Amino acid sequence: MLLIHCPWCGLRAETEFRCAGPVKPPRSEFIDKSDEAWLEYLYQADNRRGILEEYWCHEKGCGEWFKLRRDTATHEIMDGDTDS
Amino acid sequence: MRSDQRYSIFTLIGGAVRAHRNWKPAWRNPQPKKQYDVVIVGGGGHGLATAYYLAKNHGIHNVAVVERNWIGGGNSGRNTAVVRSNYLRDISIQFFDKSLQLYEGLSRELNYNIMLSQRSEVDVLLTTVSMRNMRRRALNMNRLGIEFQMLTPDQVRQRIPILAPMENCRLPILGGSVQERAGIARHDAIVWGYARGADSYGVDIIQNAEVTAIRRGEDGAVTAIETSRGRIKTNKLAIATGNENAAVASLVDLRLPLRCYNLQAFVSEPIKPVLDVVVNCPDLGVYLSHSDKGELVIGGATDAQQISFRKGGKFPMLEDTVSGLLELFPSFRRLKLMRQWGGALEFAQDGSPIVSATEVKGFYVSAGWWGGFKAIPAGGMTFAHLIARDEPHPLAAGYGMERFSTLNYLLEGGTTVPTD
Ligand SMILES: Cc1cc2nc3c(=O)[nH]c(=O)nc-3n(C[C@H](O)[C@H](O)[C@H](O)COP(=O)(O)OP(=O)(O)OC[C@H]3O[C@@H](n4cnc5c(N)ncnc54)[C@H](O)[C@@H]3O)c2cc1C
Ligand SMILES: [Zn+2]
């Protein structure tokens, strides 16, 4: 079982968290541009083997949203970013 | 098939008499040629089936399959081998049913025993969401003339006598569904059978050759690949690299709308026969079958939250799967698990596969095969058609990449998790 660092609660079990996918630029950066930019927003995800920055939520805990970095090849979790 | 390589009862007896010293390798191990009409990257089921159908159906024999490790060492060698065609959309139902039909004739066609066992798959349904989902599949499939039917709780119990009594349980059985023609096949045999078949038509199977770069001409068209065994020229490059498709496509600066998620499976110690159907329970996220060796082969639900390329599993997922298993079959509570493994499943944005030409001339993609063992025959047949004729096979016409820019989604869902 992995332990994940919630910026509010500290180290908690992975099962309390929800991963909301890779960090993307905000929707506003795509929506008013071309159709291609919008399609890019809809379809493309950073499907990378290696270290990926993601949004996570301490869903079954305090509800805090934060970013962390995780290695998609090993599931190892790097230090989270606490100021989001 | 070359006649000296055919397997039959007589060659078996001959082998026995000669202490099995007469068998030849089932495919050659050639040096790569300088140039091929078509190069397929990826020696999994899809790549090898594509090569076989290119030669057999389209007369294109100057073909290489380039595999970075050994053939069948990707997901084609690590799946739970369930074959079925109970999908949601008309196009998927027809595509996957064609695949099942091809499987039905494959042992004979390839002269190679793929050990297809059409023992049927019974879905045990515990919620109205799953009942509605499966009923919708049944209605759609029956409209297309394909067998799939709903079962009453009593009928479910008749088919799976060791199910828990479930009288005072959290989720009683509301009903079930069954596809009689579904079942399992031997995964390695699919890979080896297609490899042997393709080889007998002259296809070169080149192992230990990783594709590291793709060369293009001035017009942008593919001209050659660089591999760890040297440069190979070709004007038609087809990728079937399992969960590496996005990475390989990025070598020609193509971005494919794909994501990889983890799926895990495990097997128990061998036990006496207890289950003669494939059991699937979408509501508990578990499916299983009883192998010929006596082991229960158990799979879980896809962990569709986090991008993952890991080949192991995750403990919480294992725990979920096992608790689902024990809810259905409390009698398995002392069973030991012997092996456990996982793999990355590749999903396109809408859950349907991609069998497509691309904006890069001479570059073709077969991708998004998250449940794609069952799709190997039809996937290979339709991909070969596309590569040979530069037009999609009617069965896979909806699987082109243009659907993502025209918003023609083909939303599909698995059967291990409830879809709505
Ligand atoms: C645990 C698990 C259970 C599953 N259960 C089922 C099931 O019950 N039923 C079902 O239908 N499906 C199932 N699947 C899915 C199924 O295994 C896959 O859809 C199918 O095997 C895909 O076949 P493929 O030929 O596309 O890919 P693969 O078999 O993965 O082949 C791709 C090949 O490409 C090679 N390759 C990659 N990159 C390169 C490169 N740069 N150069 C050269 N070669 C390269 C790889 O080495 C690999 O051999 C399961 C998957 C998993 C992980
Ligand atoms: Zn918290």
Side-chain angles (χ1 to χ4, degrees):
Chain A
M1 176 83 72
L2 287 170
L3 292 177
I4 297 178
H5 190 265
C6 165
W8 187 253
C9 313
L11 280 183
R12 307 289 301 176
E14 159 186 15
T15 46
E16 294 179 9
F17 294 83
R18 176 185 178 75
C19 175
V23 172
K24 276 186 175 188
R27 187 161 66 173
S28 55
E29 286 189 18
F30 298 89
I31 199 162
D32 293 331
K33 292 191 184 148
S34 57
D35 283 357
E36 285 70 37
W38 180 236
L39 290 172
E40 161 102 13
Y41 175 80
L42 288 179
Y43 295 123
Q44 298 296 356
D46 193 348
N47 187 49
R48 171 191 328 198
R49 180 195 290 275
I51 294 174
L52 193 61
E53 194 181 23
E54 292 171 325
Y55 291 118
W56 283 71
C57 175
H58 192 192
E59 194 179 42
K60 291 170 191 138
C62 67
E64 176 81 334
W65 281 90
F66 56 100
K67 295 178 196 168
L68 62 72
R69 289 178 311 125
R70 188 177 59 90
D71 189 334
T72 61
T74 62
H75 293 181
E76 187 189 353
I77 288 178
M78 319 296 159
D79 279 321
D81 166 52
T82 45
D83 60 28
S84 54
Chain B
M1 193 70 44
R2 289 202 310 271
S3 57
D4 61 328
Q5 289 277 36
R6 278 195 77 82
Y7 301 145
S8 69
I9 184 71
F10 304 107
T11 58
L12 262 183
I13 295 170
V17 172
R18 271 167 254 153
H20 295 293
R21 277 190 289 253
N22 61 325
W23 302 111
K24 298 192 195 101
W27 54 86
R28 295 162 298 129
N29 188 12
Q31 283 300 319
K33 287 192 252 175
K34 293 239 158 358
Q35 211 232 318
Y36 291 94
D37 295 341
V38 178
V39 171
I40 296 162
V41 190
H46 279 275
L48 291 161
T50 304
Y52 172 80
Y53 291 112
L54 269 174
K56 181 183 167 239
N57 293 353
H58 304 280
I60 303 178
H61 299 241
N62 187 26
V63 175
V65 177
V66 177
E67 164 59 48
R68 69 174 170 192
N69 297 323
W70 61 94
I71 60 167
N75 276 352
S76 297
R78 48 199 308 119
N79 64 76
T80 45
V82 176
V83 298
R84 56 178 177 84
S85 66
N86 53 343
Y87 276 70
L88 278 172
R89 312 276 154 194
D90 291 8
I91 161 169
S92 330
I93 294 168
Q94 285 164 318
F95 178 89
F96 283 93
D97 204 70
K98 177 67 188 180
S99 211
L100 194 51
Q101 288 166 32
L102 289 169
Y103 265 134
E104 284 166 344
L106 207 57
S107 288
R108 184 172 290 267
E109 171 168 354
L110 295 177
N111 175 234
Y112 202 89
N113 187 0
I114 65 158
M115 298 168 102
L116 177 69
S117 160
Q118 292 177 287
R119 56 184 68 182
S120 80
E121 176 177 302
V122 177
D123 308 292
V124 182
L125 307 176
L126 313 178
T127 64
T128 47
V129 175
S130 297
M131 288 287 287
R132 202 168 56 215
N133 179 348
M134 288 306 184
R135 206 169 118 71
R136 170 180 172 184
R137 290 177 196 238
L139 291 171
N140 263 344
M141 289 172 68
N142 295 348
R143 182 171 52 79
L144 296 169
I146 296 167
E147 156 286 312
F148 185 61
Q149 48 178 5
M150 300 303 288
L151 300 174
T152 64
D154 283 343
Q155 288 170 324
V156 173
R157 286 185 183 289
Q158 265 162 23
R159 288 179 189 242
I160 316 170
I162 57 160
L163 268 177
M166 293 177 113
E167 265 118 29
N168 316 309
C169 63
R170 188 168 65 101
L171 298 169
I173 296 174
L174 299 184
S177 47
V178 61
Q179 183 170 28
E180 310 278 2
R181 284 163 59 238
I184 53 175
R186 170 124 167 81
H187 47 16
D188 294 325
I190 306 301
V191 170
W192 298 335
Y194 274 122
R196 175 168 170 268
D199 176 272
S200 78
Y201 282 114
V203 171
D204 282 356
I205 297 169
I206 298 162
Q207 304 183 72
N208 297 311
E210 175 161 11
V211 175
T212 50
I214 299 170
R215 302 281 168 229
R216 295 162 69 183
E218 256 150 40
D219 58 347
V222 170
T223 55
I225 54 170
E226 302 294 341
T227 79
S228 43
R229 292 178 68 179
R231 172 176 295 196
I232 301 173
K233 287 195 199 147
T234 187
N235 294 323
K236 289 196 172 190
L237 182 64
I239 65 164
T241 44
N243 49 39
E244 295 294 328
N245 286 314
V248 178
S250 73
L251 298 175
V252 288
D253 299 318
L254 263 183
R255 291 185 67 197
L256 302 180
L258 298 168
R259 283 142 232 252
C260 290
Y261 299 124
N262 183 265
L263 180 72
Q264 56 182 315
F266 36 96
V267 294
S268 74
E269 59 190 322
I271 53 173
K272 288 268 164 60
V274 287
L275 268 183
D276 58 2
V277 297
V278 179
V279 178
N280 171 48
C281 182
D283 301 299
L284 297 174
V286 59
Y287 65 96
L288 66 154
S289 65
H290 204 161
S291 78
D292 295 337
K293 285 190 284 182
E295 299 162 339
L296 292 174
V297 180
I298 304 156
T302 314
D303 185 10
Q305 258 197 45
Q306 9 180 318
I307 305 277
S308 171
F309 288 88
R310 188 164 128 159
K311 290 200 172 137
K314 259 180 48 171
F315 191 73
M317 245 6 225
L318 177 94
E319 203 177 11
D320 278 1
T321 311
V322 169
S323 51
L325 177 73
L326 294 187
E327 204 163 322
L328 288 181
F329 303 106
S331 51
F332 292 164
R333 71 188 172 279
R334 296 178 65 187
L335 206 59
K336 290 189 183 64
L337 297 180
M338 307 289 282
R339 296 192 302 284
Q340 175 267 343
W341 71 95
L345 298 188
E346 188 183 80
F347 288 76
Q349 175 71 22
D350 58 359
S352 287
I354 296 174
V355 180
S356 187
T358 64
E359 60 198 55
V360 176
K361 194 164 178 292
F363 190 79
Y364 306 84
V365 178
S366 171
W369 295 113
W370 50 268
F373 172 73
K374 62 180 81 62
I376 287 172
M381 183 188 82
T382 55
F383 198 33
H385 185 283
L386 173 73
I387 299 162
R389 306 207 183 168
D390 272 307
E391 59 188 50
H393 188 283
L395 271 178
Y399 291 157
M401 282 228 298
E402 62 285 353
R403 71 181 191 265
F404 299 106
S405 41
T406 53
L407 307 189
N408 276 324
Y409 311 106
L410 266 171
L411 288 172
E412 258 306 335
T415 53
T416 322
V417 278
T419 19
D420 209 13

